[in-house]
Amino acid sequence: MSIEKLGVLASGRGSNFQAILEHLELGILKAADVSVLITDNPDAQALEISDRFDVPHQIVNPQVKENKKEFEHEIHKIFDKHNVSLVIMAGFMRILSPFFLDKYEEKIMNIHPALLPSFKGLNAQEQALEYGVKVSGCTIHYASEEVDSGPIILQHPVPVRENDSVRSLADRILVFEHRMYSKAIQLHVDDRLEVIDGRVKIDYGDGWKEEWDEREKTFIEHQKKSWEKDEVFRGVWK
Ligand code: GRF
């Protein structure tokens, strides 16, 4: 069986990156491996995570590059060297240009902390609270030229509570981001996704979903243990 080589792009905290690595470590996410992490931020916490999980990393500083194309060319060169076949944007704070997107057509995934097409761009959770929606959530999609656009792979709803702060809503959404990203990756790796006219068709046949849900129980347990002390997460688990 061939192994999908993941190349992760992250600019900050890297909790989604970590959740993917945990899924791999727990044997839930199969036939995949993270080959390299690239960040545009020398202070990204994601760098510590890559060290902890023994994943090679590289910092590509956009300021020292002449232009966006140079910057993306550098990223492509590194991914190529590591035989990356699927690009994972995990809190990457830059917009990729067609130059880069064309090299990985329907092979770049992004995660967004809202139910797209609502609340694109920065501060999605704050936008949701300000608008007063009663349900928000997260979306995993293939990347396209426009910010937070492209064929939607998975979404998960999260109810908005009357007393939610940006932090509490963001954290409750994060619980599901951490679960759903690996699921979307596994669907891609298992060749269960087909993009038809900009829409993603998912093949859940032969008990795929049941099998995934069974494996995912281990991650949910792990998540509960790591976070049960944090009061934001109390009551999330129903
Ligand atoms: C997540 O909420 C993700 O959806 C958004 O940026 C945040 C990144 O968090 N694109 P982390 O760096 O993965 O912890």
Side-chain angles (χ1 to χ4, degrees):
M1 198 201 287
S2 68
I3 299 281
E4 189 91 46
K5 302 273 187 191
L6 311 183
V8 177
L9 293 170
S11 301
R13 179 178 55 181
S15 72
N16 276 289
F17 171 47
Q18 177 166 329
I20 292 165
L21 292 168
E22 288 167 347
H23 274 87
L24 288 166
E25 199 173 71
L26 293 165
I28 301 166
L29 181 51
K30 296 178 187 207
D33 211 350
V34 178
S35 300
V36 63
L37 163 79
I38 296 180
T39 182
D40 56 340
N41 172 14
D43 300 321
Q45 275 173 265
L47 287 168
E48 291 158 33
I49 298 168
S50 73
D51 282 342
R52 222 175 333 121
F53 284 81
D54 248 343
V55 171
H57 64 245
Q58 236 166 299
I59 302 163
V60 180
N61 187 342
Q63 268 146 26
V64 299
K65 294 286 158 200
E66 277 171 23
N67 55 37
K68 192 167 181 174
K69 197 165 169 191
E70 259 310 282
F71 172 68
E72 291 183 353
H73 182 70
E74 187 72 23
I75 294 176
H76 181 238
K77 237 173 45 192
I78 297 166
F79 278 170
D80 228 26
K81 198 177 95 191
H82 288 270
N83 298 313
V84 166
S85 49
L86 180 63
V87 176
I88 303 298
M89 296 170 79
F92 189 58
M93 302 308 280
R94 282 169 194 282
I95 299 156
L96 296 168
S97 76
F99 165 80
F100 188 86
L101 293 167
D102 287 351
K103 297 188 188 307
Y104 300 94
E105 218 192 326
E106 277 146 26
K107 289 186 169 59
I108 304 177
M109 284 188 187
N110 183 40
I111 189 158
H112 186 69
L115 295 177
L116 292 173
S118 292
F119 314 126
K120 295 178 181 181
L122 293 176
N123 309 322
Q125 304 90 338
E126 196 176 344
Q127 291 183 52
L129 283 179
E130 262 171 28
Y131 199 94
V133 291
K134 304 298 180 211
V135 179
S136 193
C138 61
T139 303
I140 293 121
H141 63 97
Y142 285 120
S144 75
E145 268 178 57
E146 279 151 56
V147 186
D148 300 322
S149 302
I152 289 174
I153 302 168
L154 293 175
Q155 293 188 298
H156 198 287
V158 172
V160 179
R161 296 179 184 160
E162 296 255 306
N163 58 353
D164 257 332
S165 63
V166 174
R167 156 92 208 272
S168 67
L169 179 61
D171 282 351
R172 286 208 324 284
I173 293 173
L174 212 54
V175 170
F176 297 96
E177 292 189 42
H178 291 172
R179 295 179 194 173
M180 303 310 280
Y181 218 163
S182 289
K183 183 177 180 181
I185 293 168
Q186 189 72 74
L187 283 166
H188 179 99
V189 170
D190 292 350
D191 212 12
R192 297 284 179 147
L193 303 177
E194 193 186 353
V195 183
I196 305 165
D197 294 332
R199 286 189 285 265
V200 178
K201 196 174 146 216
I202 307 179
D203 175 6
Y204 280 126
D206 300 324
W208 192 98
K209 201 166 178 295
E210 292 69 21
E211 234 183 80
W212 174 264
D213 287 347
E214 194 51 42
R215 297 216 297 275
E216 183 66 351
K217 281 182 188 164
T218 316
F219 181 76
I220 295 171
E221 275 315 304
H222 164 81
Q223 229 184 7
K224 281 186 190 175
K225 267 189 216 128
S226 332
W227 283 355
E228 68 194 343
K229 288 186 199 80
D230 190 323
E231 71 179 63
V232 169
F233 298 107
R234 262 180 231 147
V236 168
W237 311 110
K238 301 173 240 122

